């Protein structure tokens, strides 16, 4: 086999290898390849000089630009903490109306509120705050203990029937079990209470039953639920004339309420959430109220 063989079609030397009559051209490496190799090597060298690169024992070469992601993360964390400090101080210091009038602070409330609510309150009140049986809907204007930011803040702080020494105490007596009323009186007052929200109850029952129920209500229930049955926020007694019911407004549920009483439990958050978090939650809950409710 000749040592040097030139391909007649291209004019290039061949490598001298031959497989079944096929030979390989010995073409030079294209220039752009050298170009990019040199470029990459220069970039790497420059990189070693400019940025953190080589580990040396316990430390590393820092690079003359003195930038790395560790210091920039550190800086942005410090900045975020400073920003948080600024708004947290303002939320702590300012009154509810002042915060509500400040769109920047309310933006914080709307960012942090859903997260705090989801982490701490949604298990009972549901993520949309609309509650479930036994746990009140917080998006209505029907309040046990009052719906102003101050009242909600206080409820969150002390809880209801909670371990807190200042806890709101909610006691719907067990009129049946504790024999405060005879069974037929309970049936009548149940009919009366249901007639307040459901007109069909009034038409199905004899008028005398509803009247007797009203009289029993006046004698036994108005201390807490008020003469008009619209509830009293100083004892946490709900409005019985609106369509929002914690335990259900059907015959069986109201009877169960009257028979066995109800004592809802809402934990105290004084130890578990900071005052700023509780303030954010009070404002967030206030903001959930649908305009038509
Ligand atoms: C373990 C269940 C539970 C958790 C968790 C819980 N709540 Fe409650 N909450 C209740 C119950 C039950 C009531 C109603 C008590 C009653 O019927 O007397 C209530 C009542 C309330 C009320 C009073 C409503 C009114 O009409 O006056 C507010 C406000 C409230 N909760 C806010 C919150 C917030 C904010 C959180 C989260 C920090 C939270 N709750 C977490 C169970 C819970
Ligand atoms: C000592 C005060 C008190 C008296 C007296 C009282 N209630 Fe209540 N009632 C409450 C409280 C507080 C609640 C809320 C209980 C809870 O959710 O923890 C309540 C809840 C209820 C509910 C449930 C409402 C709902 O949203 O599901 C009904 C119904 C009711 N009362 C009817 C009556 C009737 C009828 C009488 C009279 C026979 C009466 N109550 C007497 C304090 C009282």
């Amino acid at each position: 086999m000749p040592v040097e063989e030139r391909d007649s079609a291209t004019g290039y030397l061949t490598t001298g290898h031959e497989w079944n009559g096929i030979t390989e051209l010995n073409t030079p490496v294209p220039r752009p390849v050298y170009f990019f190799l040199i470029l990459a090597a220069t970039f790497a060298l420059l990189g070693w000089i400019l940025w953190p690169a080589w580990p040396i024992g316990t430390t590393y070469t820092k690079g003359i630009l003195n930038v790395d992601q560790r210091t920039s993360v550190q800086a942005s964390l410090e900045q975020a903490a400073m920003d948080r400090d600024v708004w947290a101080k303002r939320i702590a210091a300012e009154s509810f109306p002042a915060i509500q009038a400040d769109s920047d602070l309310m933006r914080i409330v709307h960012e942090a509120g859903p997260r705090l609510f989801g982490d701490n309150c949604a298990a009972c009140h549901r993520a949309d705050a609309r509650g479930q049986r036994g746990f009140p809907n917080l998006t209505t204007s029907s309040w046990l203990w009052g719906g102003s930011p101050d009242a909600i803040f206080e409820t969150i702080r002390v809880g209801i029937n909670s371990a807190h020494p200042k806890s709101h105490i909610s006691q719907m007596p067990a009129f049946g079990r504790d024999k405060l009323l005879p069974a037929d009186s309970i049936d009548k007052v149940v009919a009366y209470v249901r007639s307040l929200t459901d007109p069909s109850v009034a038409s199905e029952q004899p008028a005398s039953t509803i009247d007797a129920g009203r009289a029993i209500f006046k004698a036994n229930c108005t201390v807490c639920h008020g003469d008009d049955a619209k509830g009293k926020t100083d004892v946490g007694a709900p409005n019985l004339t609106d369509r929002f019911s914690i335990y259900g407004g059907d015959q069986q549920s109201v009877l169960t309420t009257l028979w066995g009483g109800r004592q809802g439990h809402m934990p105290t958050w004084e130890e578990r959430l900071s005052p700023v978090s509780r303030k954010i939650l009070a404002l967030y809950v206030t903001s959930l109220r649908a305009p038509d409710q």
Side-chain angles (χ1 to χ4, degrees):
M1 193 182 284
V3 180
E4 280 204 345
E5 198 181 311
R6 211 167 268 282
D7 176 57
S8 56
T10 59
Y12 281 125
L13 289 174
T14 71
T15 55
H17 306 139
E18 186 194 322
W19 295 274
N20 295 339
I22 301 171
T23 51
E24 190 185 1
L25 294 182
N26 189 6
T27 49
V29 176
R31 270 162 194 276
V33 172
Y34 286 114
F35 174 74
F36 283 111
L37 267 175
I38 292 166
L39 197 73
T42 322
F43 183 76
L45 273 170
L46 259 170
W48 293 343
I49 298 166
L50 294 178
W51 295 301
W54 293 100
I56 33 175
T58 56
T59 171
Y60 53 94
T61 59
K62 302 243 162 41
I64 56 175
L65 287 185
N66 201 22
V67 287
D68 67 36
Q69 298 198 328
R70 198 183 298 192
T71 47
S72 53
V73 164
Q74 186 70 25
S76 64
L77 282 180
E78 275 163 21
Q79 185 60 41
M82 237 158 65
D83 290 349
R84 192 183 183 281
D85 236 34
V86 170
W87 63 251
K89 278 207 182 92
R90 289 188 52 204
I91 290 182
E94 288 182 25
S95 69
F96 283 117
I99 300 172
Q100 281 169 317
D102 185 318
S103 59
D104 283 345
L105 289 182
M106 283 311 283
R107 194 169 43 76
I108 305 280
V109 165
H110 286 293
E111 276 167 21
R115 191 173 38 77
L116 282 167
F117 195 88
D119 288 351
N120 299 290
C121 325
C124 293
H125 293 284
R126 310 293 294 267
D128 61 4
R130 290 179 181 275
Q132 51 188 324
R133 187 161 280 218
F135 303 98
N137 185 335
L138 302 177
T139 70
T140 76
S141 57
S142 183
W143 293 99
L144 296 164
W145 298 96
S148 67
D150 280 302
I152 295 175
F153 181 75
E154 181 66 1
T155 302
I156 297 171
R157 185 176 81 90
V158 300
I160 301 169
N161 296 334
S162 76
H164 195 284
K166 294 262 173 61
S167 171
H168 287 321
I169 304 293
S170 167
Q171 295 294 342
M172 167 65 197
F175 284 92
R177 201 183 54 221
D178 293 346
K179 303 199 169 49
L180 302 174
L181 282 175
D184 70 316
S185 298
I186 290 183
D187 287 342
K188 286 176 186 143
V189 81
V190 166
Y192 170 70
V193 166
R194 293 190 62 230
S195 76
L196 295 172
T197 49
D198 186 351
S200 69
V201 173
S203 54
E204 283 161 13
Q205 301 280 342
S208 60
T209 302
I210 304 290
D211 286 345
R214 184 182 296 112
I216 297 164
F217 190 87
K218 281 224 164 350
N220 296 278
C221 320
T222 49
V223 235
C224 296
H225 290 283
D227 290 336
D228 53 4
K230 287 190 192 293
K232 283 190 179 177
T233 51
D234 52 343
V235 291
N239 184 343
L240 302 176
T241 66
D242 62 20
R243 62 197 167 91
F244 303 110
S245 168
I246 305 173
Y247 301 100
D250 57 288
Q251 158 77 20
Q252 191 54 50
S253 304
V254 179
L255 184 61
T256 307
T257 298
L258 266 288
W259 189 265
R262 301 282 190 190
Q263 283 84 37
H265 289 274
M266 153 84 180
T268 154
W269 297 92
E270 188 163 42
E271 302 291 327
R272 285 204 261 172
L273 294 174
S274 71
V276 169
S277 298
R278 283 184 270 124
K279 238 173 150 175
I280 290 175
L281 276 169
L283 285 160
Y284 173 66
V285 169
T286 314
S287 76
L288 292 176
R289 191 171 319 154
D292 60 331
Q293 295 180 343

